[in-house]
Structure formats: structure tokens, C-alpha cells
Amino acid sequence: MKKQPQITEQTRANLRQAFWALYAERPIERIPVREICERAGYNRATFYLYYHDVYEVLAEVEDLVLEGLGSLVEGRLLQGDTLDFSQHMGPILRMAREYRAYTSVLLGKNGDPAFVERFKEAIRPLVDRFVLPAEGLRPQERAILSEFYLTGLLAAVRAWLAADDPMPIHQLISLVVHAVFPVGN
């Protein structure tokens, strides 16, 4: 008997939601499948129809966030010829804010370090194209500077998301722009 697609997706969503409620509170190593099932109202057999383990649920959530980010960068932000920081970072920050329930946890202390690296890789093309000089850097220098900017931007986003009352996006962008591109230097 085939499962109905809408029921299948609703079951997956319920399991993801139950997992997420637990993951927001504690590291993944301390989340048993049994507890996810209790919260979602399913038995363990149902969980295993959809997922192999808790790490697969986490990967699905991460993929949802990163697919949106990758599409934004590739489909829209790399289209211009010059850097306009507000035009490039504004949509990324709006997306991070929209998915704040996920991104603040994924980038937080219990977050998956692999997600942080994947997040940086998604925005690396913007830094490499619009922030780093086009010429004059050896590959090692380019890699170091790229990592420097990405880590700094990510730390700023992480701190912004962690705030109880985050500053408006335009204010964050202005702060970063003035720190990265100071006038008169």
C-alpha cells in the first residue's frame, strides 16, 4: 500500500519539529529516537520508516536552510558586477532572520560544526568575487583572507541572531560595512 504524499510529508514535518524542539535544548548526542517519537506522537517504527537516525533528521533541516541560501547566492547575488554590501548581505540576513529558529541553533554552541563550514562555503563565492582583490594574491593568501572575512561575517551573524532583541538589518549592515571598509583608510 502506497503512502499518501501529504500524510508522508506531515509525518516527516512532525518528526522534524519534535527533533528540533529537543535539538534547540541539547546536543544531538543526547537526543534519543524514543524521545522524538514521544513528542511527535509516533512509535519508533514510524520514525525508522522516514529516517535512519537523528543525524539524518538534522541533515534534512540543514539541507533545507542551505538550499535556500545556495539558491539565493547563485541565482541572485552573484549576478552583479560590483559589491553593494547591503544588496548582497541584506537578503542573506533576511533569510537568517526568517529561519532564526533554525539558524540561531545551527550556528550556536550546540550546532553542527559541519553546518558552519557548509554555510561559509555557500557564501564564499560572494567574498571571493566581491571582497578579495581580483589579482595580486597567491592561492594561500587568498584562502587565508577568504577564511578571515567569512569567519568574521559568520561571527557577526551569530552574535546578531543570539541577541534577544537583534538590531535592524540595515543597522547591522552599516556596522559591518564601516568595520570592514572604514572610510579614509
Side-chain angles (χ1 to χ4, degrees):
M1 181 175 179
K2 285 184 121 178
K3 296 181 225 173
Q4 295 177 357
Q6 63 272 28
I7 293 173
T8 297
E9 185 47 43
Q10 185 60 54
T11 302
R12 290 179 77 86
N14 292 343
L15 290 167
R16 272 193 315 268
Q17 185 176 17
F19 164 79
W20 195 256
L22 296 167
Y23 188 63
E25 298 170 358
R26 63 180 102 130
I28 194 167
E29 300 82 24
R30 295 187 32 225
I31 301 174
V33 169
R34 172 194 48 77
E35 198 169 347
I36 295 169
C37 294
E38 286 172 4
R39 279 196 183 221
Y42 298 106
N43 61 41
R44 287 171 59 93
T46 300
F47 178 90
Y48 289 112
L49 282 173
Y50 297 96
Y51 301 103
H52 290 94
D53 55 26
V54 293
Y55 295 95
E56 188 175 354
V57 184
L58 176 59
E60 187 173 289
V61 172
E62 290 177 347
D63 289 346
L64 288 170
V65 172
L66 290 171
E67 284 172 13
L69 180 59
S71 294
L72 179 64
V73 169
E74 292 296 326
R76 180 171 165 204
L77 300 180
L78 285 173
Q79 302 309 313
D81 292 329
T82 60
L83 172 70
D84 179 342
F85 204 80
S86 63
Q87 293 296 320
H88 288 88
M89 287 309 294
I92 292 171
L93 292 171
R94 280 190 292 283
M95 186 179 143
R97 184 181 59 196
E98 180 181 338
Y99 291 107
R100 183 178 182 192
Y102 294 123
T103 53
S104 63
V105 174
L106 290 169
L107 297 173
K109 64 180 171 127
N110 290 333
D112 178 7
F115 175 80
V116 172
E117 292 306 311
R118 291 174 63 201
F119 190 96
K120 287 194 299 191
E121 289 308 310
I123 62 174
R124 184 177 303 278
L126 293 173
V127 169
D128 289 349
R129 179 165 176 200
F130 296 116
V131 177
L132 298 180
E135 297 176 8
L137 292 176
R138 294 189 309 257
Q140 182 182 30
E141 294 169 334
R142 181 172 277 290
I144 289 169
L145 283 178
S146 180
E147 186 63 24
F148 172 78
Y149 283 116
L150 289 166
T151 301
L153 287 170
L154 193 56
V157 170
R158 183 182 287 150
W160 176 67
L161 289 170
D164 290 334
D165 185 22
M167 68 179 68
I169 289 174
H170 71 278
Q171 188 177 350
L172 176 62
I173 289 171
S174 178
L175 177 69
V176 171
V177 166
H178 289 95
V180 176
F181 310 105
V183 176
N185 289 344

